[in-house]
Amino acid sequence: MMRNEMSRRRLLGLGVGLGTAATLALAGCGSDDEGSTTASDNGGKDYTGPKVDLKLWNGFTGGDGDIFKKLVEKFNAEHKNIAVAVTTYQWEDYYSKLPGAVSSGAGPDIAVMHMDQLATFAARGVITELDDVAKALELTEADFAPTVWSGGLYNKKRYGIPLDMHPLGFYYNKAVMQKAGLDPEKPPTTRDDYTAALTELKKSGVQGFWVSPFQFTGGMTFYSVLHQWGGTLFDADVAKATFNSDPAVEACTWLVDMIKQGHSPANVGQDADYLAFKAGKNAFNWNGIWQINDLKKSPDVQWGVAPLPQIGSKPATWANSHNFTIVKQRSTDANKVAGAKVFINWLSQHSLDWAAGGQVPARKAVREDAGFKALTEVGALAPEIEYAAFPPAAPGIGEVLTTFYSSFNEAVLGKKSPKQALDDGVAKADKQLADNRKKYGN
């Protein structure tokens, strides 16, 4: 179970490079043949046509998957003429399987996607436009964080309806803090506080902050502090990589220095930072909101969670978002499309129930609901959404993000200096971005 949980966490929010699978020609998908269907499509407000069986693919393999399936069961019970069947894959398998399945006519009707994957799949003709759904739901940018709303657009058309947001959070081990003479109810919030706490922890024999060289979670931590220092990964047009700027190098150096100063061991294994946190071997772990439910299952761990400390000149955190999409088919069945929109509408309205799975609801009105505020730990990270740094919405961006994380890996493992690692990464990323413009036509 632990291996499965860790695999899920590594891929949750991951900008997975789609490789050759994403370049499959999807000729034949989304024909205009409506067949003999006669459904009235009103953007998901209701469906009164004949019974339809819908296939839904997702990557919720952890505890959130159980909650998701229960919501689908509730939907099915309330809608006798729509039956949704859920298929769950590991995220890495999910994104590689989907293009081929759609091309062969064996794809799902509905697919859950991370925000940074939407543009790629829209550009490849895998998913269809959802502007009418947003209109039927009366959703506007004011209902969401602006980046989440714009992240669902490709060529000025909407392809994703945001379900949630999952930011990085700051987890602190209260028992370890207390043993070092720190107040377990006052986690550090500034760079000075953080430095002082790590110094006291080191005096007590604890390496307080383990820096992982992997995307989960060291790369995401670097992504966060880079933005805190005022840097960006790309320019405004996502045409050039900028993650070798002075602020980026400074942020990377700060993390590498954690190892040099003895606050972190070198060569931290995948997920070893989080396992050490649970075992009381370190005090602080920057990790995803999805760890909340896992920690709730560990009654022996005395822990708390808060927004990330502000190490740089402004608050910032890595975040991503799950979106609902409708998959193009070889021959369009208007009844299935109408039923799929009703499902997306219904799930969006029930996103408070989904929040129990460890996600911040995308809709602002749900986040302001008393029911959400009662979810103390998840609610503690909701303020981060106002300054979260989401991945850009650009086709093929997943492979470029992999290059960014690989550059950080080389710096943390001491293979290159932070400056050299990031310079080399930017050179490769610029070529990838140029290739993507040729591949996707923009």
Side-chain angles (χ1 to χ4, degrees), residues 274 278 293-303:
Y274 178 65
K278 293 178 70 175
N293 282 349
D294 181 66
L295 286 167
K296 284 184 174 181
K297 298 175 185 176
S298 306
D300 294 335
V301 182
Q302 301 174 44
W303 62 282

Side-chain angles (χ1 to χ4, degrees), residues 74-96:
K74 184 177 180 181
F75 171 85
N76 286 340
E78 294 180 8
H79 298 78
K80 301 303 181 183
N81 59 345
I82 306 174
V84 178
V86 176
T87 300
T88 304
Y89 297 102
Q90 296 288 342
W91 284 115
E92 66 268 42
D93 297 328
Y94 174 91
Y95 285 125
S96 63

Side-chain angles (χ1 to χ4, degrees), residues 37-241:
T37 55
T38 58
S40 174
D41 189 343
N42 54 21
K45 288 185 176 180
D46 56 49
Y47 173 68
T48 57
K51 184 176 181 180
V52 289
D53 295 305
L54 305 177
K55 294 182 292 183
L56 185 154
W57 284 17
N58 72 93
F60 301 131
T61 58
D64 51 2
D66 294 333
I67 292 175
F68 186 75
K69 288 176 182 176
K70 289 179 180 177
L71 282 169
V72 173
E73 290 172 0
K74 184 177 180 181
F75 171 85
N76 286 340
E78 294 180 8
H79 298 78
K80 301 303 181 183
N81 59 345
I82 306 174
V84 178
V86 176
T87 300
T88 304
Y89 297 102
Q90 296 288 342
W91 284 115
E92 66 268 42
D93 297 328
Y94 174 91
Y95 285 125
S96 63
K97 285 177 180 289
L98 185 59
V102 174
S103 182
S104 66
D109 301 288
I110 308 168
V112 178
M113 286 188 185
H114 292 94
M115 187 179 78
D116 55 334
Q117 296 293 335
L118 291 172
T120 300
F121 282 97
R124 297 310 306 168
V126 177
I127 54 179
T128 192
E129 299 168 18
L130 295 175
D131 288 301
D132 61 332
V133 178
K135 184 177 181 180
L137 292 172
E138 298 180 348
L139 299 177
T140 66
E141 182 176 314
D143 297 307
F144 301 91
T147 311
V148 171
W149 182 246
S150 61
L153 297 174
Y154 175 68
N155 284 346
K156 298 182 179 180
K157 295 184 181 296
R158 177 154 302 282
Y159 286 87
I161 300 297
L163 173 64
D164 62 41
M165 299 170 285
H166 38 272
L168 214 63
F170 178 58
Y171 296 87
Y172 51 99
N173 189 306
K174 295 182 178 182
V176 176
M177 290 179 66
Q178 191 166 26
K179 188 176 180 180
L182 301 172
D183 187 339
E185 302 304 326
K186 292 183 178 181
T189 59
T190 67
R191 182 175 181 176
D192 288 344
D193 290 344
Y194 205 67
T195 300
L198 290 175
T199 299
E200 294 305 310
L201 287 161
K202 188 176 179 181
K203 289 178 182 178
S204 71
V206 174
Q207 291 178 296
F209 177 42
W210 291 24
V211 179
S212 165
F214 300 96
Q215 173 177 351
F216 280 72
T217 57
M220 292 154 64
T221 298
F222 174 44
Y223 187 112
S224 301
V225 293
L226 181 157
H227 284 87
Q228 288 192 7
W229 252 282
T232 60
L233 269 64
F234 309 102
D235 64 10
D237 296 324
V238 197
K240 294 288 185 180

Side-chain angles (χ1 to χ4, degrees), residues 1 24 32 80 99 118 207 214 230 243 259 363 373 417:
M1 180 64 178
L24 289 172
D32 294 329
K80 301 303 181 183
L118 291 172
Q207 291 178 296
F214 300 96
F243 56 80
I259 300 170
R363 297 176 75 162
K373 293 179 179 179
S417 69

Side-chain angles (χ1 to χ4, degrees), residues 387-415:
Y387 49 77
F390 290 89
I397 200 65
E399 293 178 358
V400 190
L401 289 173
T402 297
T403 296
F404 165 75
Y405 290 121
S406 296
S407 301
F408 173 73
N409 178 279
E410 291 180 328
V412 172
L413 293 179
K415 295 179 180 179

Side-chain angles (χ1 to χ4, degrees), residues 380-391:
L381 299 186
E384 291 187 314
I385 299 307
E386 298 303 319
Y387 49 77
F390 290 89

